[in-house]
CSV table of all heavy atoms in Angstrom, one decimal:
chain,number,residue,atom,x,y,z
A,113,ALA,N,87.8,66.1,55.4
A,113,ALA,CA,86.5,65.7,55.9
A,113,ALA,C,85.3,66.5,55.3
A,113,ALA,O,84.3,66.0,55.0
A,113,ALA,CB,86.5,65.7,57.4
A,117,LEU,N,82.1,65.2,52.9
A,117,LEU,CA,80.7,65.6,53.1
A,117,LEU,C,80.1,66.3,51.8
A,117,LEU,O,79.0,66.0,51.4
A,117,LEU,CB,80.6,66.5,54.3
A,117,LEU,CG,79.2,67.1,54.6
A,117,LEU,CD1,78.2,65.9,54.9
A,117,LEU,CD2,79.2,68.0,55.9
A,152,THR,N,81.1,74.9,58.4
A,152,THR,CA,80.1,74.1,57.8
A,152,THR,C,78.7,74.5,58.4
A,152,THR,O,78.6,74.6,59.6
A,152,THR,CB,80.3,72.6,58.1
A,152,THR,OG1,81.5,72.2,57.7
A,152,THR,CG2,79.2,71.8,57.4
A,154,PRO,N,74.7,74.5,59.4
A,154,PRO,CA,73.8,73.4,60.0
A,154,PRO,C,73.0,72.8,58.8
A,154,PRO,O,72.6,73.4,57.9
A,154,PRO,CB,72.9,74.2,60.9
A,154,PRO,CG,73.5,75.5,61.3
A,154,PRO,CD,74.3,75.8,60.1
A,155,LEU,N,72.7,71.5,59.0
A,155,LEU,CA,71.9,70.8,58.0
A,155,LEU,C,70.5,71.3,58.0
A,155,LEU,O,70.0,71.7,59.0
A,155,LEU,CB,72.0,69.3,58.4
A,155,LEU,CG,73.2,68.5,58.2
A,155,LEU,CD1,73.1,67.1,58.6
A,155,LEU,CD2,73.7,68.5,56.6
A,158,MET,N,65.0,68.3,58.8
A,158,MET,CA,64.3,67.2,58.0
A,158,MET,C,62.9,67.0,58.6
A,158,MET,O,62.8,66.6,59.8
A,158,MET,CB,65.1,65.9,58.1
A,158,MET,CG,66.4,66.0,57.4
A,158,MET,SD,67.6,64.6,57.7
A,158,MET,CE,68.3,65.2,59.2
A,171,GLN,N,74.6,58.4,54.8
A,171,GLN,CA,75.8,58.8,55.7
A,171,GLN,C,76.0,60.3,55.8
A,171,GLN,O,77.1,60.8,56.1
A,171,GLN,CB,77.1,58.1,55.3
A,171,GLN,CG,77.0,56.6,55.2
A,171,GLN,CD,76.7,55.9,56.6
A,171,GLN,OE1,77.3,56.4,57.6
A,171,GLN,NE2,75.9,55.0,56.6
A,172,ILE,N,75.0,61.1,55.4
A,172,ILE,CA,75.1,62.5,55.5
A,172,ILE,C,75.2,63.0,56.9
A,172,ILE,O,76.2,63.9,57.2
A,172,ILE,CB,73.9,63.2,54.7
A,172,ILE,CG1,73.9,62.8,53.2
A,172,ILE,CG2,74.1,64.7,54.8
A,172,ILE,CD1,75.0,63.2,52.4
A,173,VAL,N,74.4,62.6,57.7
A,173,VAL,CA,74.3,63.0,59.1
A,173,VAL,C,75.6,62.7,59.9
A,173,VAL,O,76.2,63.5,60.6
A,173,VAL,CB,73.0,62.5,59.9
A,173,VAL,CG1,73.1,62.9,61.3
A,173,VAL,CG2,71.8,63.0,59.2
A,174,SER,N,76.0,61.5,59.7
A,174,SER,CA,77.2,61.0,60.5
A,174,SER,C,78.5,61.8,60.0
A,174,SER,O,79.3,62.1,60.8
A,174,SER,CB,77.4,59.5,60.4
A,174,SER,OG,77.6,59.2,59.0
A,175,ASN,N,78.6,62.0,58.7
A,175,ASN,CA,79.8,62.8,58.2
A,175,ASN,C,79.7,64.3,58.6
A,175,ASN,O,80.7,64.8,58.9
A,175,ASN,CB,79.8,62.6,56.7
A,175,ASN,CG,80.5,61.4,56.2
A,175,ASN,OD1,81.7,61.4,56.1
A,175,ASN,ND2,79.7,60.3,56.0
A,176,TYR,N,78.4,64.8,58.7
A,176,TYR,CA,78.3,66.2,59.1
A,176,TYR,C,78.8,66.3,60.5
A,176,TYR,O,79.6,67.3,60.8
A,176,TYR,CB,76.8,66.6,59.0
A,176,TYR,CG,76.5,67.9,59.7
A,176,TYR,CD1,76.8,69.1,59.1
A,176,TYR,CD2,75.9,67.9,60.9
A,176,TYR,CE1,76.5,70.3,59.8
A,176,TYR,CE2,75.7,69.1,61.6
A,176,TYR,CZ,76.0,70.3,61.0
A,176,TYR,OH,75.7,71.5,61.6
A,177,TYR,N,78.4,65.5,61.5
A,177,TYR,CA,78.8,65.6,62.8
A,177,TYR,C,80.3,65.3,63.0
A,177,TYR,O,81.0,65.8,63.9
A,177,TYR,CB,78.0,64.7,63.8
A,177,TYR,CG,76.6,65.4,64.0
A,177,TYR,CD1,75.5,64.8,63.5
A,177,TYR,CD2,76.5,66.5,64.8
A,177,TYR,CE1,74.2,65.4,63.7
A,177,TYR,CE2,75.2,67.0,65.0
A,177,TYR,CZ,74.1,66.4,64.5
A,177,TYR,OH,72.9,67.0,64.7
A,178,ASN,N,80.8,64.4,62.2
A,178,ASN,CA,82.3,64.2,62.1
A,178,ASN,C,83.1,65.5,61.8
A,178,ASN,O,84.1,65.9,62.4
A,178,ASN,CB,82.6,63.1,61.2
A,178,ASN,CG,84.1,62.9,61.2
A,178,ASN,OD1,84.8,62.6,62.2
A,178,ASN,ND2,84.7,62.9,60.0
A,179,VAL,N,82.6,66.2,60.7
A,179,VAL,CA,83.1,67.5,60.4
A,179,VAL,C,83.0,68.5,61.4
A,179,VAL,O,84.0,69.3,61.8
A,179,VAL,CB,82.5,67.9,59.1
A,179,VAL,CG1,82.9,69.4,58.8
A,179,VAL,CG2,82.9,67.1,57.9
A,180,LYS,N,81.9,68.6,62.1
A,180,LYS,CA,81.7,69.6,63.2
A,180,LYS,C,82.6,69.3,64.3
A,180,LYS,O,83.1,70.2,65.0
A,180,LYS,CB,80.2,69.6,63.7
A,180,LYS,CG,79.2,70.0,62.6
A,180,LYS,CD,79.5,71.4,62.1
A,180,LYS,CE,79.2,72.5,63.1
A,180,LYS,NZ,79.4,73.8,62.5
A,181,ASN,N,82.8,68.0,64.6
A,181,ASN,CA,83.7,67.7,65.7
A,181,ASN,C,85.2,68.1,65.3
A,181,ASN,O,85.9,68.6,66.2
A,181,ASN,CB,83.7,66.1,65.9
A,181,ASN,CG,84.6,65.7,67.0
A,181,ASN,OD1,84.6,66.2,68.1
A,181,ASN,ND2,85.5,64.8,66.7
A,182,LEU,N,85.6,67.9,64.1
A,182,LEU,CA,86.9,68.3,63.7
A,182,LEU,C,87.1,69.8,63.7
A,182,LEU,O,88.1,70.4,64.1
A,182,LEU,CB,87.2,67.7,62.3
A,182,LEU,CG,87.3,66.2,62.2
A,182,LEU,CD1,87.5,65.9,60.7
A,182,LEU,CD2,88.5,65.7,63.0
A,183,GLU,N,86.0,70.6,63.3
A,183,GLU,CA,86.0,72.0,63.4
A,183,GLU,C,86.1,72.5,64.8
A,183,GLU,O,86.8,73.5,65.0
A,183,GLU,CB,84.8,72.6,62.7
A,183,GLU,CG,84.8,72.4,61.1
A,183,GLU,CD,83.6,73.0,60.5
A,183,GLU,OE1,82.6,73.1,61.2
A,183,GLU,OE2,83.6,73.4,59.3
A,184,GLN,N,85.4,71.9,65.7
A,184,GLN,CA,85.5,72.2,67.1
A,184,GLN,C,86.9,72.1,67.6
A,184,GLN,O,87.4,73.0,68.4
A,184,GLN,CB,84.5,71.4,67.9
A,184,GLN,CG,84.4,71.8,69.4
A,184,GLN,CD,83.9,73.2,69.6
A,184,GLN,OE1,83.1,73.7,68.8
A,184,GLN,NE2,84.3,73.8,70.7
Side-chain angles (χ1 to χ4, degrees):
L117 177 60
T152 304
L155 290 175
M158 292 173 279
Q171 305 297 316
I172 300 295
V173 176
S174 60
N175 276 272
Y176 168 79
Y177 284 109
N178 179 55
V179 170
K180 296 303 289 184
N181 180 55
L182 294 175
E183 287 181 338
Q184 181 65 27

